[in-house]
């Protein structure tokens, strides 16, 4: 018996020794730690249909199995998000191993749901937060619980918290929805309102003759100010009137102020009205005058009352007019010098009544003027023995170029021909030069120069451009006539 007791005591000591040995992971043993303070963040909530709530577990990283005691009232997904479905009660259970954590969910219906604004007017780039209104107040709803939508995101957009962003001019409807409850706000977006800072007039002083009209212009600063409506008025409509477009009309002799007003800003134009001076104008040259380049001509302008006249060049700037003054009575003298060749118009008008005017056409010719023949013309190269035609061409364009020489007293003249070959006695495939004869005649009909132009080598049907001859290298000023002819 004593031996048996000793054996039992020995085995007990060995067992205790083994259990007190250090843990060795290599042999698959684990340390078991005490459980943390695991809990659910909500144990009781009140929701409305469509509302969502995220339940969270703290104190554990273990896998959580979520479930609802009544899915028709509220559901829960694998991440703990609860979605209220309809009025009623249920329990959301979070299960970790064999341990359960519960949250009682009560779903109630909203008795009222709306927004703080039914209509809202915004300007572009404005931002406004819509707020929800609801009953019962025991439910806690925020903008994030609501689904927000816009009928036109180009006009206005809304984010998940109910902030409305106005983009461009137009209308849109913002809808807030939770469950089967909806609320709407009609949004109108307008262009930003920019205030008028100042205005200015195109003229601050006008001198008009009776019956004359002049339109004033208004510049509004800044240019994109919302108010662009100009109100016009006259301090004395017996002297001058003004219409809605700023057109001023002189009525009778005197002075008045034309007032333009935009918003609270206004500007004035001082208007002086007098009688018109001249009622008729005439020119000693009639309505046409011709001048050679470098020459000048005197034109006398006759008025009926001897009051001021002014000139303006309407067209090519090839003349230099200069007033010489009044030469007696009602006649004003104007000298016109020619600086370049061409045709322009000289307008002479009453200084104080521009609606009274005459127009003189002024033609300025070069010192050397060559009249070219009309085209097209058919020119042939013929045999001097039997008059047989070797080749023919149609001349379709002729032009002359006049170049002043260094001595300033003579000119070099070139003539240019363009056209097409029409015949060659050797056949259509044969290429040869066409020959164009020409003569230059002076004003007395005398031949002063003659010659032949040889075109590039061309076949029948082929054209040539600007084949030229030098007419003269020392031609004197004058009027000349050019003629073209067959060559023998």
């Amino acid at each position: 018996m004593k031996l048996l007791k000793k054996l039992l005591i020995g085995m007990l000591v060995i067992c205790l020794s083994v259990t007190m040995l250090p843990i060795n992971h290599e042999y698959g043993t684990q340390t078991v730690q005490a459980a943390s303070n695991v809990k659910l963040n909500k144990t009781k909530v009140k929701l409305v249909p469509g509302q969502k709530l995220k339940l969270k577990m703290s104190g554990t990283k273990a896998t959580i199995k979520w479930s609802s005691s009544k899915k028709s009232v509220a559901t829960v997904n694998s991440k703990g998000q609860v979605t209220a479905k309809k009025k009623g009660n249920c329990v959301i259970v979070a299960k970790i191993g064999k341990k359960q954590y519960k949250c009682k969910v009560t779903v109630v219906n909203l008795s009222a749901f709306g927004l703080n604004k039914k209509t809202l007017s915004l300007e572009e780039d404005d931002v406004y937060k819509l707020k929800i209104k609801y009953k019962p107040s025991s439910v806690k709803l925020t903008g994030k619980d609501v689904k927000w939508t816009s009928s036109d995101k180009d006009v206005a957009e809304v984010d998940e918290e109910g902030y409305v962003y106005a983009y461009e001019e137009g209308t849109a409807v913002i809808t807030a929805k939770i469950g089967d409850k909806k609320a709407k706000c009609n949004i109108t977006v307008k262009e930003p309102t920019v205030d008028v800072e100042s205005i200015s007039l195109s003229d601050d002083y006008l001198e008009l003759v009776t019956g004359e009209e002049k339109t004033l212009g208004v510049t509004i600063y800044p240019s994109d100010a919302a108010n662009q409506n100009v109100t016009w008025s006259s301090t004395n409509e017996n002297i001058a009137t003004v219409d809605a477009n700023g057109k001023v009309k002189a009525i009778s002799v005197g002075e008045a102020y034309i007032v333009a007003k935009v918003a609270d800003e206004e500007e004035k134009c001082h208007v002086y009205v007098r009688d018109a001076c001249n009622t008729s104008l005439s020119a000693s040259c009639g309505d046409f005058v011709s001048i050679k380049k470098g020459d000048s001509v005197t034109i006398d302008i006759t008025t009926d009352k001897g009051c001021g006249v002014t000139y303006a060049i309407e067209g090519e700037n090839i003349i230099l007019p200069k007033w010489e003054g009044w030469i007696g009575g009602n006649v004003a003298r104007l000298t016109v010098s020619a600086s370049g060749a061409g045709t322009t118009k000289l307008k002479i008008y009453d200084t104080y009544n521009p609606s009274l005017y005459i127009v003189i056409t002024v033609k300025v010719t070069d010192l050397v003027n060559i009249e070219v023949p009309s085209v097209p013309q058919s020119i042939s190269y013929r045999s001097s023995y039997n008059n047989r035609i070797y080749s023919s061409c149609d001349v379709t364009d002729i032009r002359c170029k006049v170049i002043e020489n260094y001595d300033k007293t003579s000119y070099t003249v070139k003539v240019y021909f363009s056209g097409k070959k029409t015949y060659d006695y050797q056949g259509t495939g044969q290429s040869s030069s066409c020959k164009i004869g020409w003569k230059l005649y002076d004003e007395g009909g005398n031949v002063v120069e003659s010659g032949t132009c040889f075109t590039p080598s061309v076949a029948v049907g082929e054209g040539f451009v600007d084949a030229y001859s030098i007419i003269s290298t020392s031609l004197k000023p004058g009027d000349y006539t050019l003629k073209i002819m067959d060559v023998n």
Side-chain angles (χ1 to χ4, degrees), residues 13 21 40 61 64 67 106 116 162-163 171-172 179 200 240 242 250 253 270 283 287 290 320 352 390 402 467 476:
V13 171
L21 286 173
L40 192 58
K61 294 183 180 179
I64 304 170
S67 63
T106 301
N116 63 323
Y163 283 97
T171 58
S200 64
V242 62
V253 175
H270 183 195
D287 59 4
S290 179
L320 300 172
Y352 301 107
Y390 291 130
V402 179
K476 297 299 181 183

Side-chain angles (χ1 to χ4, degrees), residues 434-449:
C434 291
K435 298 172 181 60
I436 304 168
W438 57 264
K439 288 184 180 181
L440 187 68
Y441 298 85
D442 63 14
E443 292 179 280
N446 304 304
V447 176
V448 293
E449 299 285 355

Side-chain angles (χ1 to χ4, degrees), residues 47-50 70 72-74 84-90 105-110:
L47 305 174
V48 299
K70 198 171 186 179
S72 61
V73 174
K85 295 295 186 180
K86 69 174 184 178
K87 183 178 179 181
N89 296 288
C90 71
V105 177
T106 301
V107 180
V108 298
N109 288 332
L110 287 173

Side-chain angles (χ1 to χ4, degrees), residues 154-166:
D154 291 333
V155 174
E157 198 167 10
V158 62
D159 68 10
E160 61 181 9
E161 295 185 32
Y163 283 97
V164 179
Y165 301 88

Side-chain angles (χ1 to χ4, degrees), residues 297-371:
V297 66
T298 297
I299 302 174
D300 291 336
I301 306 298
T302 301
T303 69
D304 61 336
K305 295 183 179 180
C307 293
V309 285
T310 305
Y311 71 80
I313 299 171
E314 295 187 341
E316 200 173 354
N317 195 20
I318 55 174
I319 56 174
L320 300 172
K322 179 184 176 182
W323 287 113
E324 302 295 342
W326 296 93
I327 61 172
N330 299 332
V331 181
R333 176 157 292 174
L334 183 67
T335 298
V336 179
S337 300
S339 58
T343 301
T344 191
K345 292 184 183 296
L346 183 63
K347 182 178 180 179
I348 310 295
Y349 59 92
D350 186 284
T351 304
Y352 301 107
N353 183 17
S355 61
L356 175 64
Y357 63 88
I358 57 174
V359 177
I360 302 168
T361 299
V362 181
K363 182 179 180 181
V364 180
T365 59
D366 275 318
L367 293 178
V368 172
N369 291 293
I370 299 176
E371 181 182 352

Side-chain angles (χ1 to χ4, degrees), residues 40-53:
L40 192 58
N41 66 327
K42 300 280 186 181
T43 59
K44 182 173 64 174
V45 294
K46 184 180 284 188
L47 305 174
V48 299
Q51 189 176 3
K52 296 180 186 295
L53 175 71

